[in-house]
């Protein structure tokens, strides 16, 4: 690149590896520093350059604690252009949707339970509050602009798009994401639009909702009215799918979603206020309101008695574990990965048999995926068609020729032996008809049997194909059940171990004879050993199930292949029939 | 005299997840030069035996229409009641499959799009998404605008309890010039949502080729490779099925 980049202080910048790329510019590493350089595709125009200058000047510890706030400008050493900004590198962070989407969470944040999600929601509110306190507005709150660390801390990125107040001068935020945009701004062009903290309050509430409600959008639900209900339209019309007025608004939450009644009423009311249409002195809860409410919510969460990874609000209207309820209604276990951590984290330290290591082994057995036949497209397996005019004519010719010969022969015999012409003709016609019927029927039977074989072969193909998935799904299910069994056994093991230790210390304190203590210890270790053997045996079974899934798939594939072969042969037989359809 | 082509390809998402192509299609002559029956079915991604369901639906439709024409039925005598009996036959065939495997018809859920095209009349029927496009040199239209189910990305299925209510039939006393049927994988490429009309640049070259090439029965491979090309695969990762037919003089 011909441009030599320098920062505000005139220091020359050496760009390292590319870290990311967006519509606006490219982010490069600044090697040897905790900083990165965002270089725009084109030099900033006058307004943007002024905005960046103001942002660099206005940087404050309160802002940098929560955001990748620009620290310096990047200028062209030779010219007047502003080319970009130097900002803190955001490392070991994930985009927030990787936390709130249950599928991604299992991979990126396997240990996160609902308490953690509340904690992160609280931190989001704190980050937005910091921006507001400095007089600025985020403007474009969205799932790509909020990054979260494994510890749950928040870093807001793309700060150069924010609405910045520099004394009397206001630099607007010219972008936005419709799903996070307040109803009064829906459909409006963002360029030059003056945003307020009330607009951010909507985006923040949508973000908090995503975090607490498993990545669901508050305005995405089932709409009972006519026409398509897009999320944008639902926002514009104030159709909050979870709210107390949702019935009147003809909205119902999607199946297997957390309900508003399952969070404390304080949080529920904040959502109601945030998602109501604006008007008549109603204000959306501010970032501070959210911060305080979420801070109160966090310590009030409790663990489910059945599944320890399930955390929920104790103060909600329903005391039952909502995650267990979702599971019972046929939904997924939304915190599957969190239970395992609970086990590993509480493993007995120092024991010869380490439950944590054991669970690592359990986790290392990959669950068999239900497989399906990978045959080529499922074209309807119709028998190949036979109609062929030449063949039809061929058959007709044969029929006529044979009939004619027969009529001739019979007439000749009858004329010489009997002599009555009418009777002769009548008999001849009857006989030739009988002959045609006789000749035809074996063909018809052949055709029927060939077609029957084809349809039987097709049924066999379908059956083999269905059987494949049923068997492989059964193995996958058996695997899941086995793991559940191991989990329950582990629970039991931990509980018993704890009880043993307590007994032992009680005994030691009671000063009973050492003989009694030895006996207990001996009994205890044999009981413990048998439980451990039991656990290890189950792990072997789990591995066997894993291995058997391959055999099932191979066997199923062989059966399907032979069924397809049989069908192919039957198809060739149909195609090879020397007989047109009409004749049968 | 009709020329026709059909191809189905497995979507990238299905390749990735080890799911077979769940689309099925069929083109067959109606009895006694009465025209063509074209159909395609899209198995529900959530159903375990959706591919078998889609194939069964197409096959059962061919049988049902065969019985109708054998009994003297013609396109212009087709009524909603007759179409309902076809649907009954299809549902019965799927039920039989499900019973044999101790599954429920839901495990075989699929949509169905079909057209009967003759020299003087034509009929179209549809349950769920996918679409039928009819075209002439002057105009092109979508017969039934694709119907969305209760939620985004859901639709109606022949196996659904409300299938009879969702069966849409349109019998027209006019023949079609060109007709195309496709499953929802192609919907966003082949249709213009803002005008609710077919995207003609998508169809025109294909019909032109089908009409111009006298070796048309061999074009199936070319159609499949078109469906696999970047032009399509970068815009959908679902299974795609396209069935084309055009009426030629003589």
């Amino acid at each position: 690149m011909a441009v030599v980049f320098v920062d505000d202080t005139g220091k020359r910048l050496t760009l390292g590896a590319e870290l990311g790329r967006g519509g606006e510019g490219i982010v490069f590493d600044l090697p040897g520093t905790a900083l990165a350089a965002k270089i725009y595709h084109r030099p900033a125009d006058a307004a943007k350059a002024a905005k960046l200058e103001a942002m660099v000047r206005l940087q404050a510890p309160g802002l940098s604690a929560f955001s990748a706030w620009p620290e310096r400008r990047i200028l062209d050493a030779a010219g007047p252009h502003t080319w970009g900004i130097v900002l803190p590198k955001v490392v070991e962070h994930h985009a927030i949707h990787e936390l709130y989407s249950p599928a991604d969470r299992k991979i990126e944040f396997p240990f996160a339970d609902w308490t953690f999600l509340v904690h992160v929601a609280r931190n989001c509110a704190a980050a937005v509050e910091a921006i507001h306190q400095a007089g600025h507005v985020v403007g474009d709150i969205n799932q790509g602009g909020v990054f979260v660390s494994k510890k749950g801390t928040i870093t807001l990125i793309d700060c150069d798009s924010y609405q910045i107040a520099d004394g009397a001068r206001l630099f607007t935020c010219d972008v936005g994401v419709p799903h996070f945009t307040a109803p009064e701004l829906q459909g409006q062009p963002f360029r030059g639009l003056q945003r307020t903290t009330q607009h951010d309050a909507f985006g923040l509430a949508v973000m908090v909702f995503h975090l607490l409600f498993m990545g669901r959008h508050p305005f995405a639900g089932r709409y009972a009215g006519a026409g398509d209900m897009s999320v944008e339209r639902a926002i514009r019309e104030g159709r909050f799918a979870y709210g107390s007025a949702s019935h009147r608004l003809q909205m119902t939450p999607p199946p297997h979603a957390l309900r508003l009644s399952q969070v404390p009423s304080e949080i529920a009311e904040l959502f109601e206020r945030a998602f109501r249409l604006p008007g008549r002195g109603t204000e959306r809860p501010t970032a501070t309101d959210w911060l305080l409410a979420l801070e109160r919510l966090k310590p009030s969460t409790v663990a489910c008695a059945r599944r320890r990874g399930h955390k929920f609000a104790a103060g909600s209207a329903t005391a039952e574990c909502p995650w267990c309820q979702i599971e019972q209604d046929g939904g997924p276990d939304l915190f599957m990965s969190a239970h395992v951590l609970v086990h590993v984290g509480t493993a007995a330290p120092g024991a010869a048999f380490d439950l944590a290591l054991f669970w690592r082994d359990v986790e290392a057995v990959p669950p068999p995926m239900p497989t399906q036949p990978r045959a080529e497209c499922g074209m309807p397996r119709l028998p190949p068609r036979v109609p062929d005019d030449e063949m039809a004519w061929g058959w007709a010719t044969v029929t006529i020729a044979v009939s004619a010969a027969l009529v001739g022969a019979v007439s000749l015999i009858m004329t010489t032996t009997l002599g009555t012409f009418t009777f002769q003709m009548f008999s001849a016609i009857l006989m030739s008809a009988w002959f045609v019927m006789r000749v035809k029927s074996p063909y018809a039977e052949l055709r029927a049997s060939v077609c029957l074989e084809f349809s039987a072969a097709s049924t066999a193909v379908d059956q083999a194909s269905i059987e494949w998935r049923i068997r492989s799904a059964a193995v996958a299910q058996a695997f899941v059940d086995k793991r559940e069994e191991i989990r329950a056994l582990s629970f039991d093991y931990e509980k018993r171990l704890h009880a043993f230790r307590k007994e032992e210390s009680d005994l030691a304190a009671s000063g009973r004879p050492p003989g009694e203590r030895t006996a207990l210890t001996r009994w205890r270790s044999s009981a413990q050993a048998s439980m451990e053997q039991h656990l290890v045996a189950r792990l072997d079974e789990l591995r066997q199930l894993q291995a058997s899934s391959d055999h099932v798939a191979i066997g199923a594939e062989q059966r399907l292949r032979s069924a397809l072969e049989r069908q192919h042969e039957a198809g060739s037989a149909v195609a090879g029939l020397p007989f047109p359809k009409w004749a049968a | 005299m009709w020329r026709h082509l059909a191809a189905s390809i497995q979507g990238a998402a299905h390749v990735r997840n080890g799911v077979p192509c769940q689309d099925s299609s069929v083109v067959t002559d109606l009895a006694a030069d009465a025209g063509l029956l074209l159909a395609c079915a899209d198995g529900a991604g959530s159903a375990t035996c959706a591919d078998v369901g889609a194939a069964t639906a197409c096959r059962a439709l061919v049988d049902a229409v065969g019985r109708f024409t054998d009994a003297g039925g013609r396109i212009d005598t087709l009524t909603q009641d007759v179409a309902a009996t076809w649907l009954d036959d299809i549902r019965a065939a799927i039920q039989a499959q499900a019973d044999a495997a101790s599954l429920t018809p839901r495990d075989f859920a699929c949509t169905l799009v079909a057209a009967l095209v003759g020299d003087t009349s034509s009929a179209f029927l549809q349950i769920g998404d996918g679409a039928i496009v009819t075209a002439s040199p002057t105009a092109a239209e979508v017969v039934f605008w694709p119907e969305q189910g209760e939620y985004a990305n859901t639709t109606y299925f022949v196996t659904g309890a409300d299938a009879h209510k969702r069966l849409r039939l349109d019998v027209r006393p006019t023949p079609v010039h060109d007709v195309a049927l496709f499953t929802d994988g192609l919907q966003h490429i082949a249709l213009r949502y803002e005008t609710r009309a077919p995207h003609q640049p998508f169809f025109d070259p294909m019909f032109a080729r089908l009409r111009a090439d006298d070796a048309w029965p061999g074009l199936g491979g070319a159609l499949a490779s078109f469906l696999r090309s970047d032009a399509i695969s970068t815009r959908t990762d679902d299974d795609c099925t396209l069935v084309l037919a055009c009426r030629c003089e003589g």
Side-chain angles (χ1 to χ4, degrees):
Chain A
M1 208 176 282
V3 185
V4 174
F5 295 125
V6 293
D7 67 11
D8 285 316
T9 60
K11 197 179 128 216
R12 189 169 164 178
L13 297 172
T14 316
L15 302 183
E18 183 180 319
L19 299 177
R21 185 181 279 261
E24 233 188 350
I26 305 172
V27 178
F28 294 96
D29 187 22
L30 289 174
T33 68
L35 299 169
K38 180 173 182 176
I39 307 285
Y40 298 116
H41 296 313
R42 275 174 298 282
D45 58 22
K48 180 93 187 183
K51 181 180 189 179
L52 296 176
E53 186 276 321
M55 286 188 82
V56 168
R57 182 160 37 77
L58 294 170
Q59 63 182 295
L63 293 170
S64 341
F66 290 110
S67 67
W69 197 270
E71 297 192 358
R72 275 170 277 161
R73 285 177 300 159
I74 297 173
L75 308 168
D76 181 352
H81 293 306
T82 304
W83 272 95
I85 41 180
V86 173
L87 31 76
K89 224 183 317 196
V90 181
V91 286
E92 286 171 359
H93 275 59
H94 293 272
I96 195 138
H97 57 84
E98 290 179 299
L99 172 64
Y100 66 57
S101 131
D104 290 343
R105 192 177 62 231
K106 251 181 248 168
I107 298 156
E108 301 300 343
F109 293 87
F111 313 132
D113 54 21
W114 198 64
T115 312
F116 183 79
L117 292 166
V118 171
H119 170 65
V120 171
R122 179 244 167 239
N123 291 348
C124 277
V128 174
E129 188 195 37
I131 304 293
H132 289 179
Q133 272 175 355
H136 312 308
V137 177
V138 176
D140 179 25
I141 292 185
N142 70 72
Q143 74 284 6
V146 180
F147 274 66
V148 58
S149 72
K150 293 276 180 200
K151 284 195 290 186
T153 55
I154 291 291
T155 303
L156 302 174
I157 65 158
D158 290 337
C159 300
D160 48 338
S161 75
Y162 290 5
Q163 175 174 298
I164 302 297
D166 177 23
R169 184 155 187 201
L170 194 74
F171 299 100
T172 55
C173 166
D174 294 334
V175 285
V177 170
H179 282 201
F180 285 79
T181 299
E184 63 272 25
L185 300 186
Q186 282 288 334
Q188 284 198 41
F190 294 116
R191 180 158 285 279
L193 185 69
Q194 189 171 336
R195 311 295 245 291
T196 69
T197 53
Q198 274 292 297
H199 298 146
D200 270 7
F202 183 86
L204 174 64
V206 174
M207 184 63 76
V208 171
F209 193 90
H210 275 91
L211 283 163
L212 302 191
F213 284 73
M214 308 295 99
R216 306 275 191 179
H217 194 285
F219 290 87
R222 184 177 151 186
Y223 173 55
D228 292 341
M229 180 53 67
S230 66
V231 169
E232 289 90 334
R233 187 182 149 198
I235 293 176
R236 208 161 50 236
E237 297 173 2
R239 293 182 199 271
F240 176 34
Y242 298 71
S244 54
S246 62
H247 185 71
R248 181 172 54 75
L249 298 166
Q250 296 177 284
M251 296 294 283
T252 349
H256 311 317
L258 188 68
R259 301 302 169 109
L260 211 56
S261 61
Q262 290 168 324
V263 299
S265 53
E266 184 189 10
I267 300 288
E269 271 161 35
L270 289 188
F271 281 127
E272 296 268 19
R273 269 172 55 206
F275 298 139
R276 208 177 296 158
L277 282 179
R280 289 191 307 272
T282 55
E283 283 245 306
R284 296 190 184 107
T286 62
T288 316
D289 293 338
W290 279 114
L291 175 65
L292 295 176
L294 290 164
E295 235 158 45
R296 277 191 289 273
L297 171 59
K298 200 183 140 192
S300 78
T301 56
V302 292
C304 164
R306 200 169 76 90
R307 293 209 194 279
R308 287 197 277 170
H310 285 179
K311 299 285 178 59
F312 60 100
S316 57
T318 52
E320 307 249 321
C321 170
W323 314 117
C324 283
Q325 270 180 21
I326 288 171
E327 253 190 284
Q328 278 154 23
D329 295 345
D333 180 358
L334 290 156
F335 292 96
M336 175 80 101
S337 56
H339 313 305
V340 178
L341 172 83
V342 174
H343 287 291
V344 175
T346 56
F353 171 86
D354 188 339
L355 194 59
L357 286 178
F358 173 76
W359 261 96
R360 220 151 287 159
D361 290 344
V362 172
E363 291 283 286
V365 188
M369 294 305 286
T371 55
Q372 293 208 4
R374 254 166 253 225
E376 73 292 355
C377 293
M379 299 300 274
R381 293 171 277 258
L382 293 170
R385 293 185 61 85
V386 200
D388 187 336
D389 285 340
E390 275 173 42
M391 264 195 205
W393 276 114
W395 167 244
T397 317
V398 171
T399 314
I400 291 161
V402 170
S403 310
L406 208 70
V407 169
V410 170
S411 317
L412 194 70
I413 295 163
M414 290 199 165
T415 316
T416 47
T417 54
L418 292 170
T420 315
F421 186 71
T422 318
F423 178 68
Q424 289 157 14
M425 277 312 291
F426 182 67
S427 327
I429 289 164
L430 264 183
M431 285 187 72
S432 56
W434 171 80
F435 180 80
V436 168
M437 297 294 282
R438 277 306 302 265
V439 174
K440 261 181 84 173
S441 75
Y443 277 110
E445 274 165 29
L446 174 68
R447 184 175 205 286
S449 78
V450 167
C451 289
L452 202 67
E453 163 61 10
F454 182 84
S455 86
S458 301
T459 312
V461 169
D462 285 347
Q463 275 167 1
S465 160
I466 295 168
E467 197 184 89
W468 179 332
R469 2 190 153 191
I470 291 180
R471 287 193 178 199
S472 96
V475 174
Q477 186 56 46
F479 184 91
V480 170
D481 292 347
K482 184 59 71 185
R483 259 179 73 144
E484 206 52 44
E485 187 190 341
I486 297 175
R487 183 167 301 171
L489 283 171
S490 304
F491 247 131
D492 204 39
Y493 174 78
E494 265 187 288
K495 235 169 30 198
R496 300 273 291 275
L497 219 58
H498 186 73
F500 285 151
R501 275 203 214 95
K502 191 165 177 308
E503 259 174 63
E504 223 165 56
S505 66
D506 286 354
L507 205 61
S510 70
R512 302 286 284 272
E516 207 172 306
R517 280 166 60 189
T518 321
L520 178 77
T521 313
R522 200 175 302 138
W523 178 81
R524 195 211 74 156
S525 39
S526 87
Q528 189 180 338
S530 97
M531 278 194 291
E532 285 163 5
Q533 277 165 11
H534 202 54
L535 276 170
V536 171
R538 298 290 88 76
L539 174 59
D540 279 345
E541 286 168 9
L542 191 74
R543 292 196 172 119
Q544 277 162 20
L545 276 172
Q546 212 295 320
S548 74
S549 71
D550 289 343
H551 296 302
V552 167
I554 293 167
E557 188 172 351
Q558 277 168 355
R559 272 190 295 277
L560 180 61
R561 275 189 194 290
S562 64
L564 280 167
E565 227 162 80
R566 176 180 161 198
Q567 191 199 32
H568 182 75
E569 275 167 23
S572 314
V574 175
L577 273 177
F579 217 74
K581 192 178 175 184
W582 61 263
Chain B
M1 159 76 182
W2 293 87
R3 291 182 172 188
H4 56 82
L5 272 184
S8 289
I9 60 130
Q10 190 183 6
H14 288 207
V15 175
R16 232 176 11 248
N17 301 330
V19 178
C21 174
Q22 294 167 329
D23 282 0
S24 231
S25 67
V26 65
V27 181
T28 179
D29 296 324
L30 292 172
D33 297 329
L36 280 184
L37 164 65
L38 313 126
C40 61
D42 181 357
S46 57
T48 47
C49 299
D51 55 328
V52 181
T56 306
C58 287
R59 219 158 37 195
L61 178 70
V62 171
D63 291 346
V65 174
R67 281 192 293 276
F68 171 69
T69 51
D70 287 350
R74 295 189 323 270
I75 295 174
D76 50 7
T77 63
L78 181 56
T79 61
Q80 187 82 28
D81 290 341
V82 173
T85 64
W86 296 354
L87 178 58
D88 287 335
D89 292 344
I90 293 169
R91 286 167 63 97
I94 291 177
Q95 183 72 53
Q97 292 267 26
D99 290 346
S102 309
L103 294 170
T104 61
R106 236 217 70 77
D107 297 314
F108 296 82
C110 64
T111 65
L112 183 68
V113 176
L116 289 87
V117 288
D119 289 335
T120 55
S121 52
S122 43
F124 309 94
L125 59 145
Q126 181 164 352
I127 297 176
D129 56 19
I132 307 165
V133 162
T134 59
S136 70
T138 52
E141 64 158 331
V142 183
V143 178
F144 307 108
W145 189 254
E147 203 174 19
Q148 201 191 34
E150 279 179 335
Y151 303 104
N153 288 322
T154 67
T155 184
Y156 301 107
F157 299 115
V158 294
T159 50
D162 57 352
H164 280 97
K165 213 169 77 194
R166 300 297 170 190
L167 173 66
R168 294 186 282 178
L169 174 74
D170 187 358
V171 182
R172 298 176 182 185
T174 50
V176 295
H177 190 71
D178 296 329
V179 63
L181 286 71
F182 48 91
T183 55
D184 79 319
L186 285 173
Q187 228 164 266
H188 285 268
I189 300 165
L191 299 182
R192 279 215 165 128
Y193 278 69
E194 59 277 20
T195 52
R196 289 174 86 100
H199 183 54
Q200 269 174 287
F202 176 81
F203 292 105
D204 289 348
M206 287 192 285
F207 284 126
R209 174 90 186 269
L210 184 56
R211 284 182 180 284
D213 198 334
D214 286 332
W216 61 271
L219 287 176
L223 182 61
S225 29
F226 168 68
L227 292 178
R228 274 192 203 95
S229 70
D230 285 350
I232 305 290
S233 64
T234 53
R235 297 169 65 189
T236 179
D237 58 2
D238 195 5
D239 295 336
C240 295
T241 294
L242 184 59
V243 183
L244 300 168
C246 61
R247 198 158 52 100
C248 302
E249 299 307 323

